Amino acid sequence: QAQLVESGGGSVQSGGSLRLSCAASGFSYSSYCMAWFRQAPGKEREGVASVDENGRTIYSDSVKGRFTISQDNAKNTLYLQMNSLKPEDTAMYYCAAFRKSWWNSCRLSGPLYNSWGQGTQVTVSS
């Protein structure tokens, strides 16, 4: 499985922006899903966004239009650009990945992902 390391979290005010990065190693699958999940204290883990080997993306309704997931394959790095941040975006953000079959689509379902980063905290104040 892949080793994933997130960075880029921090504290911002409402309306601000952050760019999260996830550096991957030991990951060279031809078909895959990489995703960002988040979890706030007392709340369930939530899938934020995913991208596959073809650049196809999925976003949760709560972040659609504000967040953008992207990848730099040459750098083996996944990104999450977060704009127009809201206090409800406050959470620990995790990078995740799994190998999939080429004919499948990604899903924002935590149990599918078998590689996880350590998380990076995002705090948005009002």
Side-chain angles (χ1 to χ4, degrees):
Q1 60 182 307
Q3 291 74 54
L4 308 174
V5 179
E6 303 97 332
S7 62
S11 298
V12 298
Q13 294 186 348
S14 295
S17 297
L18 285 172
R19 186 175 180 85
L20 306 184
S21 298
C22 171
S25 61
F27 190 76
S28 59
Y29 302 132
S30 58
S31 299
Y32 60 86
C33 295
M34 297 194 72
W36 291 95
F37 289 79
R38 66 186 182 185
Q39 187 166 28
K43 299 181 67 176
E44 295 182 349
R45 180 176 56 192
E46 175 189 16
V48 175
S50 68
V51 63
D52 73 3
E53 71 278 2
N54 293 309
R56 295 175 293 192
T57 58
I58 299 172
Y59 294 94
S60 69
D61 289 339
S62 62
V63 308
K64 193 172 300 181
R66 299 187 298 121
F67 291 9
T68 302
I69 190 170
S70 62
Q71 58 189 332
D72 185 335
N73 291 331
K75 297 181 179 179
N76 295 121
T77 302
L78 180 74
Y79 302 98
L80 184 67
Q81 178 66 48
M82 305 185 294
N83 298 324
S84 301
L85 284 162
K86 306 174 181 179
E88 50 262 48
D89 295 318
T90 295
M92 184 72 75
Y93 283 71
Y94 298 92
C95 176
F98 79 99
R99 180 181 183 181
K100 71 171 182 69
S101 299
W102 67 268
W103 59 88
N104 288 142
S105 299
C106 295
R107 289 188 286 146
L108 294 175
S109 176
L112 291 175
Y113 295 80
N114 59 1
S115 296
W116 293 83
Q118 82 287 354
T120 185
Q121 177 68 220
V122 172
T123 302
V124 185
S125 60
S126 60

